[in-house]
Each structure stands twice: as C-alpha cells, then as structure tokens.
Amino acid sequence: MSVAEKIIELTNQLVSDCTLVAVSKTKPNTLIMEAYNTGHRDFGENKVQELVAKFEALPKDIRWHMIGHLQRNKVKYIAPFVHLIHGVDSLRLLREINKQGVKSDRVINCLLQVHIANEDTKFGFEKEEITDLFANSSLEEFQNVKITGLMGMATNTSDQNQVLDEFSGLKNLYDEVTQLHPDASSFKILSMGMSSDYHIALDAGSNMVRIGSSIFGSRDY
Ligand SMILES: *Cc1c(COP(=O)(O)O)cnc(C)c1O
C-alpha cells in the first residue's frame, strides 16, 4: 500500500474525535506531501533541526507536533510555529517554553509527559507530581503556555496486559486531572499509542495516536 492509502485506511479506522499524528521523522518531504495531499495536516517530528527544515519547506497549514525529548536550548527554534509539544517533562522546560512563547507572542500548546513505562530510559513526570502540579495551581504562572493534556509511552514489551495496565493508569490520571483543572474545556488531549500499541491505547481511552512506521514504513537511522 502507498502512504496515501495507509493514511486513509488509518483515518477511517479511528473515531472522529481521535487525532492521528503522522510521525514523519527521518522521512522525506515527498512522502509527507503524499499524506498531505489526502487532506492530512497533523505531522510529528522528534528532532528540532529536522522539524524546522520541514516546516520551512512544506505548506504552512501543516500542524507540526514536537513529539520527542526537547532540550531547553532548542525551544526557541520551534516556538514561533509549533502546534503542540508532546514531551514536556520538567518545569524548567515549561518555563523556557513560556519564555519563548512570550517572545513569539504566542500561547504554546503543551502536553505533560508522564512516566508510565517500567523502564528507566523514558522521560516524564511521575503521576504524583502531575496531580500536585494541578492541585497546587503551580502552572498558573505560565501565561504563554496552555497545558492541553497528557502524553505517555508504554513499555516496549510483547506483554499486552502490561501495556494495557500502563495506558489505563494514564487514562485514570487524565480523568483525575480533568476534575482538578481550572479550565477543563482546554484540557482534552490524551496522547498515547504508536504503531505497535495504538490498538491497546485506543481501548484504554486515547484520543491522539502518534503513528510512524505503520504509515511511512520502517526507519533506518
Ligand atoms: C517515533 C515515535 C513515535 C512513532 O513510532 P512508530 O513505532 O514508528 O509508530 C511515536 N511517539 C514518539 C514519541 C516517537 O518518538
């Protein structure tokens, strides 16, 4: 199947309130345009330099998602245009995003990344930190960021029950935060699920999936 056929098939599989982020990292602009020409507009990248290059080269109505680990010193390059930053994993990073939001006169949409995997290597806040942040209104000082939801990555394992447990735990936290949130209508995104586990993520209540290899084919780095 072509990229166009795959993206149409996936879009048709998803319910209408679930957003598909097509993860185009390492893939050429020609393939992104194939997906774009089907009407798709949400694309995800995990490297700032690549994201900026693609933003500059491609149509300006693409909504660019920064999905990877983001270094503070690189926020300034994406702040003027990024649609959503998925991997906010510290208050120091959030403070920098806010600062760059002020400079570009934008309110930057962010998801807080939660550490749900049983692996040391994945970034993110612990669940208790997240509830504390909202319970203590610690985020209100950041006028130029909008926390629109949560993001998580499950353990890379063939044990589907474990993956379901991890995603369900994140959904519970998301529901809890929705109760605590001062403006619940702006807190509405639960980003979880990639090519290998998005079916499980959807069962657990995800409403944004980040899918790369199932659309564009495997990556060789
Ligand atoms: C690469 C990546 C994805 C997509 O992975 P696939 O297995 O290719 O679907 C999703 N989320 C993040 C954070 C990624 O870095």
Side-chain angles (χ1 to χ4, degrees), residues 26 33 43 50 52 61 90 101 107 112 127 143 165 173 196:
T26 79
M33 282 311 294
F43 293 89
E50 189 176 350
V52 170
D61 60 345
S90 72
V107 175
L112 300 180
K127 288 181 187 167
Q143 293 292 312
D165 275 353
L173 179 68
S196 59

Side-chain angles (χ1 to χ4, degrees), residues 23 25 46 67-68 151 153 194-196 210-213 219:
V23 176
K25 62 193 187 194
N46 72 338
I67 61 169
M151 178 270 205
M153 292 172 82
M194 28 207 268
S195 294
S196 59
R210 310 173 310 270
I211 299 184
S213 44
R219 290 175 295 271

Side-chain angles (χ1 to χ4, degrees), residues 13-33:
Q13 256 180 46
L14 297 172
V15 294
S16 60
D17 63 355
C18 182
T19 303
L20 169 63
V21 178
V23 176
S24 48
K25 62 193 187 194
T26 79
K27 298 296 177 181
N29 292 348
T30 47
L31 287 187
I32 298 177
M33 282 311 294

Side-chain angles (χ1 to χ4, degrees), residues 123-149:
F123 298 96
F125 289 97
E126 297 304 320
K127 288 181 187 167
E128 301 71 36
E129 295 180 282
I130 297 282
T131 37
D132 285 351
L133 285 176
F134 286 96
N136 303 329
S137 309
S138 316
L139 301 169
E140 282 167 18
E141 63 172 291
F142 303 118
Q143 293 292 312
N144 285 66
V145 298
K146 183 147 79 173
I147 307 297
T148 55

Side-chain angles (χ1 to χ4, degrees), residues 68-88:
H69 181 63
L70 177 58
Q71 288 171 311
R72 272 179 294 135
N73 61 356
K74 297 197 173 158
V75 173
K76 56 178 177 284
Y77 302 115
I78 62 170
F81 68 90
V82 70
H83 174 68
L84 179 63
I85 299 177
H86 288 234
V88 178

